[in-house]
Amino acid sequence: MALSELERLVTALGEKPYRARQLYRWLYRLPLATQVDQMSDIGKRLREALAQSTRLHALRLGEAREARDGTRKLVYRVEDGDGAVESVLIPAPGRNTLCISSQLGCAMNCQFCFTGKMGLRRNLVAAEILDQVSLTRNLYETPRDAHSHISNVVFMGMGEPFQNLDNVLKVVEILLDPKGMGFSHNKVTVSTSGLVPEIRRYLRESRANLAVSLNATTNQVRNWIMPINRKYPLEELVETLREEYARDTRRGEKVFFEYVLLGDINDSLEDAKRLLKIAACVPCKVNLIPFNSHAGSEFRPSPLERMEAFRRYLHERGVLVTLRRSRGDDQMAACGQLGSPGFESMPPRMRVPEAFQHLVQRRSADTTA
């Protein structure tokens, strides 16, 4: 619940509105309450009423797996038992980033993504999204140890956040509220595959960062690997971003373009040249991401030297660009590896463009062999 909702709740229970601010602090500020009885400055009558009519958590921890590099994959079970929500805690010097999910599965059917093979089972409600942050903080944060604090939250786990935008915006509001979780607006990032109307709404209603999964520089390739491009093609997506960032110069931020490098698919010098033209239209930072392999995929990672050449080409021409390294892939915790597909009911694979059919056929044959 947001603060205004808590105020309505406590008023309905016969209490003064200021009790909502006390509740809000117990729910979202460290140390977080795990049960109502821990809320020591709230009267017994209200605590009893809350215990009977509310619950503090919508998820429960199923398992936590730690990769060799310290990345932790957290598998949370939902109350109705219809699946598991996965989050990833990524430690790095000077920051700890929590990657959270907004849906069970995903409807976008991006061809390189393991989660996309699940299809969409349902949206997560706001409590299920926010509980990934609350429970992970309770597990790993120590109030007196600044190095343990989660500094960044990214909506880059399972699902397309903009298909669940009402709940995502509500969670972002609580994350950014100084009286709530108190994250800085430039430490919270929501990612989308490119839903144009929702991008406009998000940029007008939220101060948090925007990331766009670009992953291709032509409609031919993007139509194949990201079917959403058939509805909102590259030209419309880029023009929307250009218009919105020009309209609101007060934002002052850059859009983050995420670009997964797929060997021989989108990693050529010509792709880098086209990406340079896109970057010239929109204030942006480009995050190049190595493809993280998974069983049954027809894609392969781009060779390291080609990824570095791609990065260097953009950097030398003034683009703010980074080449990420994979984190947690030995525990299927890396980008694009979350979820548990039921392979008996996978979404359909998209038709491979003729120019790439020989490549995919050869890789499929190598995998079978």
Side-chain angles (χ1 to χ4, degrees):
M1 288 185 170
L3 181 57
S4 59
E5 293 171 306
L6 287 173
E7 288 174 346
R8 291 194 292 271
L9 171 66
V10 298
T11 301
L13 293 173
E15 298 286 340
K16 300 290 185 182
Y18 79 87
R19 292 294 189 190
R21 294 191 293 274
Q22 293 173 309
L23 269 176
Y24 201 59
R25 186 174 64 250
W26 282 112
L27 291 173
Y28 303 129
R29 305 295 289 183
L30 289 176
L32 304 173
T34 57
Q35 52 189 0
V36 172
D37 283 345
Q38 293 175 338
M39 300 177 180
S40 54
D41 59 351
I42 292 177
K44 181 179 180 182
R45 190 183 72 83
L46 178 55
R47 278 185 281 138
E48 289 175 348
L50 290 171
Q52 291 173 6
S53 60
T54 67
R55 57 194 172 104
L56 294 190
H57 295 291
L59 303 175
R60 57 181 177 83
L61 182 64
E63 59 179 318
R65 309 172 195 164
E66 185 167 348
R68 288 188 296 268
D69 62 12
T71 299
R72 295 181 174 97
K73 182 175 184 175
L74 306 163
V75 182
Y76 290 111
R77 301 294 174 184
V78 296
E79 289 282 325
D80 56 18
D82 66 353
V85 178
E86 296 186 0
S87 309
V88 180
L89 182 59
I90 309 164
R95 70 180 184 275
N96 293 303
T97 300
L98 180 62
C99 177
I100 62 175
S101 298
S102 56
Q103 295 179 310
L104 275 175
C106 185
M108 293 296 99
N109 196 19
C110 296
Q111 301 294 282
F112 52 86
C113 180
F114 191 64
T115 310
K117 295 182 178 183
M118 292 178 63
L120 178 62
R121 299 181 185 176
R122 68 171 174 85
N123 284 334
L124 298 180
V125 298
E128 292 168 326
I129 300 172
L130 196 60
D131 226 16
Q132 296 169 66
V133 184
S134 298
L135 292 173
T136 305
R137 292 178 79 190
N138 266 351
L139 280 169
Y140 295 110
E141 285 195 2
T142 303
R144 295 183 180 180
D145 180 8
H147 297 294
S148 70
H149 291 182
I150 294 170
S151 56
N152 298 60
V153 176
V154 296
F155 289 70
M156 298 180 185
M158 299 162 61
E160 164 54 68
F162 283 10
Q163 274 199 323
N164 189 16
L165 189 53
D166 287 340
N167 284 314
V168 166
L169 284 171
K170 182 176 180 180
V171 170
V172 170
E173 175 189 350
I174 295 170
L175 289 173
L176 300 188
D177 187 346
K179 296 178 180 178
M181 289 200 166
F183 285 91
S184 167
H185 69 92
N186 59 11
K187 300 294 185 182
V188 176
T189 303
V190 183
S191 177
T192 179
S193 59
L195 281 68
V196 165
E198 288 76 12
I199 287 174
R200 291 190 186 276
R201 179 186 169 195
Y202 173 80
L203 288 175
R204 297 180 188 208
E205 296 185 21
S206 175
R207 294 176 59 245
N209 291 326
L210 172 68
V212 175
S213 293
L214 197 65
N215 304 321
T217 60
T218 67
N219 283 319
Q220 180 193 43
V221 173
R222 204 165 190 268
N223 285 346
W224 166 32
I225 65 173
M226 298 186 70
I228 190 63
N229 195 73
R230 300 176 182 218
K231 187 171 185 179
Y232 304 115
L234 266 173
E235 296 82 3
E236 183 178 358
L237 174 61
V238 173
E239 179 60 16
T240 297
L241 294 169
R242 188 196 67 77
E243 288 178 357
E244 288 299 314
Y245 278 85
R247 179 190 64 81
D248 188 2
T249 55
R250 293 172 304 169
R251 292 189 66 87
E253 295 103 354
K254 298 174 171 62
V255 62
F256 296 103
F257 281 132
E258 297 166 305
Y259 196 94
V260 176
L261 287 159
L262 306 169
D264 300 314
I265 304 294
N266 64 358
D267 60 348
S268 69
L269 178 60
E270 292 305 310
D271 283 300
K273 291 178 178 178
R274 287 189 290 265
L275 185 52
L276 180 64
K277 291 181 179 179
I278 292 173
C281 299
V282 184
C284 66
K285 177 182 178 181
V286 176
N287 291 320
L288 303 176
I289 304 171
F291 171 66
N292 297 298
S293 300
H294 51 264
S297 176
E298 64 266 45
F299 301 103
R300 296 291 181 272
S302 182
L304 179 60
E305 62 273 14
R306 197 181 305 167
M307 291 193 290
E308 180 54 35
F310 199 104
R311 184 205 65 80
R312 188 168 56 250
Y313 179 88
L314 295 174
H315 172 72
E316 290 174 350
R317 287 154 182 83
V319 177
L320 187 59
V321 57
T322 61
L323 175 57
R324 288 189 198 165
R325 65 186 184 93
S326 291
R327 298 292 303 273
D329 58 330
D330 58 304
Q331 290 294 334
M332 287 294 284
C335 182
Q337 291 184 330
L338 303 186
S340 301
F343 290 100
E344 69 283 351
S345 57
M346 283 174 48
R349 304 303 286 169
M350 304 305 294
R351 184 180 179 276
V352 180
E354 186 174 346
F356 299 98
Q357 286 181 3
H358 69 287
L359 183 67
V360 171
Q361 289 169 357
R362 185 173 73 243
R363 289 175 175 174
S364 297
D366 291 344
T367 302
T368 304

